[in-house]
Amino acid sequence: MKLSIVTVCYNAEQCIDRTIKSVLNQTCPVYEYIIIDGGSKDKTYNRVCSYEKSFAEKGILFKHISERDKGISDAFNKGIKMASGTLIGLINADDELLPETSEILKNECKKIDVDIYYGNCYWVDSERNLEYVSKPEHDLSKLLYNMVLIHPSTFVKKKAYEECGLFDLTYKYCMDKELLYRMYKAGKKFDYIDQCLTKFKAGGVSDTHSKAVFKEGSRMALSYGEPQIKVKSIEIIKTVRNQMVNMIKGTRVYRVLKGI
């Protein structure tokens, strides 16, 4: 198994070092690390370039570019196209691989009939002082309406991208859900790893634009032939539920519901 990790970033000088070091310090070295910087205006790309020697010393292929892109989906696609490994993981700046992730995946990849591996994630919400293990759901048909997998903890074989296509540039928020659902519909085999593979910090694009996320999710469902009345009803329910969750986040009630 040759593991390629792709990180997309923009103006991430405050956090990019943590992400890079989490890849560099794996107990079992990754095969390749690719950073796609969207033309940062700060010192992000200087920080990226400073790790050339560290990766060379460990024999890890280290590729990076800094240029304007058409959004996150486009940046992901650039990284996937550049990847030469057999398995690809996507982690954003401010996310981290846990130390044994590459080793775990190497052992799991002995199952040659699997296309996508997905695992748990250590979720950190600094704003509300919450930390807990987030686990995915296993009914993948639900991907049509909900992101039941955890994207940073989902690793896809290069061949699956070649056969099913890359991220749809028309999506700004639901690109991961749409692509994984497309792979599910194509009959790709998913395999669950019951271990934490990444650390994810809350507060990304999807967290801060929930209304737009729900509307884009509705567009996705309609594109797959779902009836409009069902799609609209689910969008309304999600909006109300999200408002209620935001009201209780950080409270004892929320901690009890999350089991933390």
Side-chain angles (χ1 to χ4, degrees):
M1 183 273 293
K2 293 181 177 180
L3 177 61
S4 294
I5 298 296
V6 176
T7 292
V8 302
C9 60
Y10 181 72
N11 289 347
E13 66 175 338
Q14 299 300 321
C15 58
I16 191 65
D17 289 280
R18 288 197 301 273
T19 306
I20 294 173
K21 287 177 181 177
S22 78
V23 177
L24 190 61
N25 297 327
Q26 291 291 294
T27 56
C28 174
V30 303
Y31 171 71
E32 176 180 60
Y33 188 38
I34 298 167
I35 298 180
I36 308 297
D37 175 64
S40 292
K41 305 299 183 184
D42 62 6
K43 296 179 181 179
T44 298
Y45 198 58
N46 291 336
R47 298 301 309 146
V48 170
C49 294
S50 72
Y51 285 92
E52 290 274 6
K53 183 178 178 181
S54 297
F55 280 97
E57 289 174 346
K58 292 207 170 186
I60 299 170
L61 294 178
F62 186 41
K63 304 174 184 177
H64 47 83
I65 60 172
S66 182
E67 61 185 25
R68 293 186 65 179
D69 53 51
K70 299 174 184 176
I72 296 175
S73 294
D74 185 36
F76 280 150
N77 289 346
K78 287 181 182 181
I80 293 166
K81 290 175 183 177
M82 289 174 62
S84 57
T86 52
L87 186 69
I88 302 173
L90 305 175
I91 59 170
N92 294 329
D94 215 17
D95 296 342
E96 301 172 44
L97 293 182
L98 294 183
E100 297 181 350
T101 297
S102 180
E103 187 172 353
I104 292 168
L105 289 168
K106 184 177 180 179
N107 292 330
E108 288 292 327
C109 272
K110 293 172 183 177
K111 304 172 185 176
I112 59 174
D113 59 333
V114 175
D115 301 293
I116 297 106
Y117 298 89
Y118 65 100
N120 308 330
C121 177
Y122 190 64
W123 193 282
V124 179
D125 186 340
S126 301
E127 183 180 337
R128 298 179 177 87
N129 195 29
L130 296 174
E131 297 184 5
Y132 56 90
V133 173
S134 179
K135 293 192 174 187
E137 295 184 39
H138 307 299
D139 182 354
L140 300 180
S141 66
K142 291 183 178 179
L143 279 167
L144 181 58
Y145 283 102
N146 298 294
M147 185 51 179
V148 295
L149 302 182
I150 303 162
H151 192 225
S153 293
T154 302
F155 298 79
V156 179
K157 286 188 175 175
K158 176 88 171 184
K159 186 178 179 181
Y161 285 116
E162 293 170 346
E163 294 175 349
C164 297
L166 303 179
F167 290 91
D168 185 334
L169 299 191
T170 67
Y171 290 100
K172 293 178 61 179
Y173 309 106
C174 300
M175 70 290 282
D176 48 359
K177 178 162 68 79
E178 191 280 328
L179 179 57
L180 290 168
Y181 184 69
R182 196 192 319 152
M183 290 179 171
Y184 164 75
K185 291 287 285 183
K188 297 303 174 186
K189 184 172 180 181
F190 290 69
D191 187 59
Y192 173 55
I193 301 171
D194 190 10
Q195 297 191 62
C196 277
L197 302 177
T198 54
K199 179 187 287 188
F200 177 83
K201 188 174 181 181
V205 173
S206 294
D207 288 338
T208 54
H209 296 84
S210 57
K211 187 175 181 180
V213 171
F214 298 152
K215 286 191 175 298
E216 191 170 272
S218 293
R219 175 164 68 86
M220 173 190 157
L222 289 170
S223 74
Y224 279 96
E226 289 290 280
Q228 188 167 4
I229 188 169
K230 177 182 178 181
V231 170
K232 190 61 179 177
S233 297
I234 290 176
E235 181 184 327
I236 292 170
I237 291 169
K238 283 185 175 183
T239 301
V240 173
R241 183 176 60 192
N242 186 66
Q243 290 171 345
M244 294 177 66
V245 168
N246 284 334
M247 287 174 62
I248 66 169
K249 268 188 175 180
T251 67
R252 185 171 181 278
V253 172
Y254 185 77
R255 291 175 182 273
V256 170
L257 290 174
K258 280 288 184 181
I260 55 178

